[in-house]
Amino acid sequence: MGRQRGIWAVLAALTVATSCRREAAPPPPPPPVTLAPEDVATAAPCQLEAGPSISGTLQPRRVATVRAEVPGAVREVLVERGQSVPEGTLAVVIDDTAQRDALLAARSAVRSAQNTLEVALQEEVRSRKLAEAGGLAQRDLERAEAAVHLQRAQLADAQARLAVASLQMDRTRVRVPFGGVLSERPVGQGDIVQVGAALFTVVDPSTLRLEAQVPVENLARLSAGTPVDFLVAGLPERTFRGEVEYVQPTVDPATGQVRIDVALPNPGGPLLGGLAARGRVVTEARRGLCAPLSVVDFASAQPTVLRVRQDGTVERVPVRLGLRDELSQSVEIASGAAAGEVLVRGSARASVAPGTHVQLPPAGTPAPPQDNRARTPPRRP
């Protein structure tokens, strides 16, 4: 009986000890926070550019509305809206009956004037011989010479009328002045047009232009050929590159700004006139370690970033920033982070505290931010 009591006492003691050990065991660590690809970015070298911002509406560099230069009925229309047409393409033919009659009459007048001039020249030769022989008065010789001058003037007048008639005849066949796309064609076959009536509008989409203004303090760094980067409404994922074509030699006294004209090459025609564009004149550029602006916390006096350590925990580190690229929304990290380090970005910075263990996207370390300027046309030499 005493032996059984001892066994029960030992079991009770073991049970109490086990229970105590279970209560003293630390709680398991929380599971790591899984980050999505858009929540992280990798610091990596890239090209950064900065300069004054510009905005405006893109317009074709060359636009021409071709108008009728002779009146008449439209006999043929050989082009349609939206059609690509090379320079010199015959587009509209206007009835040329009146012009053809005028041309025939002008040619006949020239031939008549030529014949009359030949007769006057022969008469002048005969008169001169008679005058030299004493058989004709000097007054009559002068009349013969005056008749020659008169007929020459009449021939010149007839030739001028022939040139005008020939030009009017040519104007009945209207051609495209430069290669481009036909954007408007308000006339059709059989329409009666007067001088000045619009026949068609042709647009050259190969180069667009933008008129903008920049602060006068940037004038020293502006010149023809200075590169300009654009983002265009409707194509937000692509950056286009143009260049300053003209710098206004005067300053607007009301705004203190200088007007510039920017040419934007448009090979293949992805851009259209009338699109809104915002850009940046590249007055400063260099290569450095960069990351998206969304990784930086500007709340404190010293900017900071959340860096993911090798063991997967997040730590807050101060950084020193350099050049800021507003167009690509990236910033140079002069110190505080190294190439290849993963940084937390965007809204994830508010939900991930320092010391949190995180799980990077399954695809592995995210790729460095892409510099989409590499896909734009290079600056012309």
Side-chain angles (χ1 to χ4, degrees):
M1 189 69 176
R3 185 177 179 182
Q4 289 181 351
R5 290 196 184 112
I7 292 173
W8 284 110
V10 172
L11 291 175
L14 291 173
T15 301
V16 172
T18 302
S19 177
C20 290
R21 283 198 298 269
R22 288 177 180 173
E23 292 177 0
V33 176
T34 301
L35 297 177
E38 62 270 18
D39 294 332
V40 290
T42 301
C46 75
Q47 181 75 9
L48 293 123
E49 297 175 345
S53 299
I54 59 174
S55 61
T57 303
L58 295 177
Q59 297 296 338
R61 188 177 179 186
R62 292 199 297 175
V63 180
T65 298
V66 180
R67 301 180 181 275
E69 296 182 272
V70 293
V74 176
R75 195 169 68 190
E76 290 183 271
V77 178
L78 305 174
V79 291
E80 296 293 337
R81 285 195 307 171
Q83 179 180 342
S84 295
V85 287
E87 181 180 351
T89 300
L90 181 61
V92 176
V93 178
I94 299 174
D95 183 73
D96 60 359
T97 302
Q99 288 76 19
R100 189 177 297 276
D101 291 343
L103 180 62
L104 293 175
R107 286 174 178 170
S108 178
V110 168
R111 286 194 296 269
S112 177
Q114 287 174 337
N115 293 334
T116 304
L117 176 60
E118 289 177 1
V119 171
L121 287 172
Q122 292 173 0
E123 183 65 25
E124 181 192 22
V125 171
R126 286 194 296 268
S127 298
R128 180 171 286 106
K129 289 180 179 180
L130 289 174
E132 291 174 352
L136 188 68
Q138 183 66 26
R139 180 180 64 252
D140 295 329
L141 176 59
E142 291 174 353
R143 287 198 187 99
E145 291 175 344
V148 170
H149 290 309
L150 176 63
Q151 295 306 318
R152 281 177 174 162
Q154 290 180 345
L155 176 59
D157 180 69
Q159 289 173 334
R161 293 176 183 274
L162 175 61
V164 171
S166 180
L167 179 61
Q168 291 293 92
M169 185 69 180
D170 291 340
R171 287 172 173 172
T172 63
R173 302 174 66 82
V174 186
R175 299 181 181 275
V176 177
F178 52 81
V181 177
L182 208 74
S183 64
E184 297 292 339
R185 199 214 66 191
V187 298
Q189 186 174 357
D191 289 350
I192 305 297
V193 296
Q194 301 298 325
V195 175
L199 301 177
F200 59 88
T201 300
V202 63
V203 176
D204 179 9
S206 62
T207 303
L208 302 179
R209 67 180 178 87
L210 173 69
E211 291 185 4
Q213 291 188 329
V214 297
V216 70
E217 54 264 25
N218 295 284
L219 183 60
R221 293 180 288 178
L222 286 177
S223 62
T226 301
V228 181
D229 289 337
F230 284 100
L231 290 176
V232 179
L235 297 169
E237 302 301 323
R238 185 173 175 186
T239 302
F240 297 88
R241 169 154 287 192
E243 62 181 32
V244 175
E245 187 176 46
Y246 171 74
V247 180
Q248 180 78 15
T250 58
V251 178
D252 186 343
T255 63
Q257 295 188 324
V258 180
R259 199 197 82 187
I260 61 173
D261 289 350
V262 180
L264 178 59
N266 188 32
L271 300 176
L272 302 176
L275 287 176
R278 63 181 180 89
R280 182 259 329 276
V281 182
V282 182
T283 56
E284 186 177 1
R286 67 169 174 264
R287 191 165 182 83
L289 182 67
C290 64
L293 273 169
S294 57
V295 306
V296 183
D297 185 357
F298 294 96
S300 58
Q302 174 72 41
T304 61
V305 297
L306 292 177
R307 178 172 59 189
V308 181
R309 301 174 59 182
Q310 292 293 332
D311 61 1
T313 57
V314 175
E315 62 176 346
R316 184 179 298 277
V317 293
V319 291
R320 184 168 61 86
L321 304 180
L323 196 63
R324 184 165 172 165
D325 193 326
E326 295 289 351
L327 195 64
S328 64
Q329 287 295 291
S330 56
V331 65
E332 179 186 10
I333 300 180
S335 65
E341 291 184 334
V342 180
L343 309 175
V344 182
R345 67 184 297 183
S347 60
R349 290 191 292 108
S351 58
V352 177
T356 303
H357 188 74
V358 296
Q359 177 67 46
L360 293 178
T365 304
Q370 297 295 319
D371 183 6
N372 51 13
R373 281 184 298 275
R375 300 194 298 270
T376 63
R379 177 181 174 184
R380 296 194 297 268

